[in-house]
């Protein structure tokens, strides 16, 4: 039997990205089909009763399951090394669903300080309303994580590497701490993707994605996912099925096709970013580059050990203050001035007044978000064109 379409334990990541999760229909299609249907029909009243009663597996309604969404879920689960994946309508609803599935009033989260802005709002404003409190610690400081844990702590939550300063936490060590206190560790793996980092294989319990970023990679759709063990994912599936932040079949199809080129894209993103970081590092108008791929980054060796690449989001500081940073951004003609990242198109932003603008001056100082800091998400245009676009403003400052 030619059974190449079920995930196979011995397939490499590159193969899983292209072939895992596709169950060919009786039409014998070669590419993954889209099933844009809200509901499914039954051959008889008895079959409907069995499916509703859970005695027989099968699709009922696309808020519960959909074959196109399942293909994406199985492919991403295989790539992350997880037992199961649940796809969601966005990265934020992936995080919300995780919290609703695992936490209740009185529980506590310990999280890294340098999280995505909406994640902080979700934790403080909305989970806070439900009686779930969050403490923030410095990402790379394992002692600070441990000191923040109390008997009520149920979840540790980190983004590594951080945005935009490229700080890193030792995932295996953090997982060990979490488990010693009977807490779970969730890693937002948005910046590296399974092509460059698989937190579950390092001991994390859950991986969270904004599929909107590199999984799609071409800025076409909003989506998210959570990957982990059956036990926790069954709870999460219940939340998504009941509360409704499910992924649409069309978006799932886009993300499934995105995964097929993920490995190649991430390698090319990494190559461009490292080249750019090295060039910025020697530019006279640049005072500092934050990128774990540079040998003098304080966590370079941890990054090299834990990751299969250094990613493609980097921060750099220019001579001067906000005005100087803005002049470099405004001198670009090709780079997109936007807070988005993880796209084939390079993007540039001033974190202090955009992505991190909600922070107080004191919080910015603690987080290292200075007025002269610029963030670039390095895309796949030619290096000459990316460098040329940045050189215009930087040369004027030098
Ligand atoms: C974008 C992003 C999110 C939120 O994802 P959406 O798809 O925009 O809801 C969460 N975490 C990180 C690290 C992100 O970059």
């Amino acid at each position: 039997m030619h059974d190449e379409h079920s995930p196979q334990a011995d397939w490499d990541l590159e193969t899983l990205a292209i072939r895992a999760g596709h169950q060919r229909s009786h039409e014998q299609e070669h590419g993954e089909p889209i099933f844009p249907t809200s509901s499914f029909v039954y051959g008889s009243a008895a079959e409907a009763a069995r499916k509703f009663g859970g005695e027989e597996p099968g699709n009922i309604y696309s808020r519960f399951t959909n074959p196109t969404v399942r293909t994406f879920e199985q492919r991403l689960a295989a790539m992350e090394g997880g037992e199961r994946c649940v796809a969601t309508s966005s990265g934020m609803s992936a995080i919300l669903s995780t919290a609703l599935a695992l936490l209740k009033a009185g529980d506590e989260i310990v999280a890294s300080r340098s999280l995505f802005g909406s994640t902080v709002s979700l934790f403080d404003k909305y989970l806070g309303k439900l009686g779930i409190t969050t403490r923030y610690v410095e990402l790379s400081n394992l002692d600070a994580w441990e000191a923040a844990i109390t008997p009520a702590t149920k979840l540790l939550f980190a983004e590594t590497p951080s945005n935009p300063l490229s700080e890193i936490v030792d995932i295996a060590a953090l997982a060990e701490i979490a488990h010693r206190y009977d807490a779970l560790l969730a890693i937002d793996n948005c910046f590296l993707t399974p092509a460059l980092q698989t937190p579950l294989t390092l001991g994390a319990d859950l991986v969270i994605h904004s599929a909107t970023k590199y999984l799609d990679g071409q800025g076409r759709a909003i989506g998210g996912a959570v990957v982990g063990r059956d036990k926790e994912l069954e709870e999460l599936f219940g939340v998504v099925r009941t509360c409704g932040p499910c992924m649409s079949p069309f978006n799932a199809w886009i993300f499934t096709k995105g995964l097929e080129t993920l490995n190649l894209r991430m390698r090319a993103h990494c190559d461009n970013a490292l080249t750019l970081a090295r060039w910025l590092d020697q530019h006279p108008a640049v005072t500092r580059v934050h990128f774990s791929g540079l040998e003098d980054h304080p966590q370079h060796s941890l990054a090299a050990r834990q990751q299969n690449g250094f990613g493609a989001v980097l921060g750099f500081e220019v001579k001067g203050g906000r005005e100087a940073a803005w002049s470099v951004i405004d001198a670009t003609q090709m780079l997109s001035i936007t807070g988005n990242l993880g796209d084939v198109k390079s993007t540039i932003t001033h974190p202090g007044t955009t992505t991190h603008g909600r922070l107080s001056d004191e919080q910015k100082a603690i987080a290292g978000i200075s007025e002269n800091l610029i963030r670039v998400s390095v895309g796949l245009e030619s290096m000459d064109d990316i460098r040329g676009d940045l050189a215009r403003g930087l040369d004027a400052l030098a």
Side-chain angles (χ1 to χ4, degrees):
M1 175 72 189
H2 192 148
D3 184 24
E4 64 182 348
H5 302 104
S6 54
Q8 296 189 357
D10 56 351
W11 275 350
D12 291 330
L13 186 70
E14 289 79 0
T15 309
L16 294 170
I18 291 169
R19 292 195 175 266
H22 180 196
Q23 274 99 34
R24 210 161 267 171
S25 81
H26 67 278
E27 299 289 358
Q28 292 286 82
E29 72 282 356
H30 185 217
E32 296 76 358
I34 313 182
F35 291 88
T37 180
S38 51
S39 59
F40 300 83
V41 297
Y42 316 98
S44 67
E47 185 193 328
R50 286 196 301 274
K51 287 198 171 147
F52 269 80
E55 295 147 42
E56 189 179 313
N59 301 302
I60 296 175
Y61 190 53
S62 282
R63 171 152 48 79
F64 305 170
T65 59
N66 174 281
T68 316
V69 177
R70 187 179 58 226
T71 297
F72 168 70
E73 289 172 337
Q74 291 187 348
R75 188 166 294 182
L76 184 60
M79 292 173 71
E80 287 284 6
E83 290 174 2
R84 186 166 170 190
C85 168
V86 171
T88 57
S89 58
S90 68
M92 288 321 302
S93 65
I95 300 172
L96 172 64
S97 303
T98 301
L100 291 178
L102 303 177
L103 306 174
K104 60 179 185 326
D107 289 346
E108 293 179 2
I109 301 172
V110 180
S112 53
R113 207 160 47 198
S114 44
L115 291 181
F116 185 67
S118 296
T119 307
V120 176
S121 303
L122 167 63
F123 286 175
D124 291 349
K125 205 165 158 192
Y126 299 105
L127 295 186
K129 254 206 266 196
L130 303 180
I132 298 161
T133 46
T134 305
R135 280 159 218 267
Y136 297 94
V137 296
E138 188 189 335
L139 174 68
S140 57
N141 185 344
L142 291 169
D143 293 337
W145 283 93
E146 188 162 359
I149 294 174
T150 76
T153 304
K154 295 286 161 14
L155 181 67
L156 271 52
F157 189 101
E159 246 171 61
T160 178
S162 74
N163 164 29
L165 299 184
S166 212
E167 292 159 324
I168 287 161
V169 71
D170 185 329
I171 295 174
L174 191 57
E176 194 273 318
I177 292 173
H179 298 157
R180 204 160 0 108
Y181 293 91
D182 285 330
L184 297 175
L185 173 63
I187 298 287
D188 183 333
N189 204 24
C190 178
F191 284 87
L192 291 182
T193 82
L196 303 181
Q197 173 170 279
T198 47
L200 299 177
T201 66
L202 299 170
D205 303 285
L206 296 155
V207 160
I208 291 177
H209 276 286
S210 166
T212 316
K213 314 293 167 50
Y214 289 109
L215 299 191
D216 171 17
Q218 297 175 64
R220 296 168 291 195
I222 302 270
V226 185
V227 192
R229 283 182 296 264
D230 277 325
K231 180 169 175 279
E232 286 86 17
L233 269 288
E234 181 60 24
E235 285 295 315
L236 227 132
F237 172 65
V239 170
V240 173
R241 174 184 169 132
T242 306
C243 304
C246 48
M247 179 179 280
S248 83
F250 186 69
N251 285 5
W253 181 79
I254 288 176
F255 296 132
T256 298
K257 302 312 280 183
L259 289 179
E260 293 181 355
T261 57
L262 182 69
N263 290 293
L264 277 177
R265 281 187 288 109
M266 293 312 289
R267 289 258 76 83
H269 276 292
C270 287
D271 289 349
N272 270 3
L274 189 56
T275 305
L276 186 70
R278 288 188 173 139
W279 175 77
L280 287 168
D281 203 32
Q282 54 71 50
H283 194 286
V286 174
T287 55
R288 196 161 169 201
V289 181
H290 302 273
F291 188 62
S292 67
L294 294 178
E295 285 75 11
D296 62 357
H297 183 283
Q299 293 165 297
H300 175 71
S301 62
L302 171 61
R305 177 158 45 86
Q306 175 164 288
Q307 307 170 185
N308 289 321
F310 300 107
V313 179
L314 57 86
F316 63 97
E317 293 169 29
V318 296
K319 263 189 196 155
R322 178 190 297 191
E323 221 170 286
W326 280 19
S327 75
V328 173
I329 294 171
D330 289 340
T332 60
Q333 294 169 358
M334 179 187 77
L335 267 62
S336 313
I337 304 176
T338 169
N340 197 28
L341 56 87
D343 196 292
V344 289
K345 296 183 172 73
S346 297
T347 69
I348 188 164
T349 194
H350 181 248
T353 49
T354 60
T355 54
H356 295 68
R358 78 203 137 77
L359 300 182
S360 69
D361 288 348
E362 194 194 340
Q363 287 172 319
K364 280 184 200 167
I366 294 171
I369 308 296
S370 52
E371 285 290 329
N372 60 348
L373 176 70
I374 295 172
R375 185 192 77 192
V376 173
S377 165
V378 187
L380 301 186
E381 303 95 339
S382 105
M383 261 331 288
D384 283 347
D385 292 331
I386 297 172
R387 248 187 322 238
D389 209 33
L390 285 166
R392 207 172 303 110
L394 285 173
D395 292 350
L397 281 187

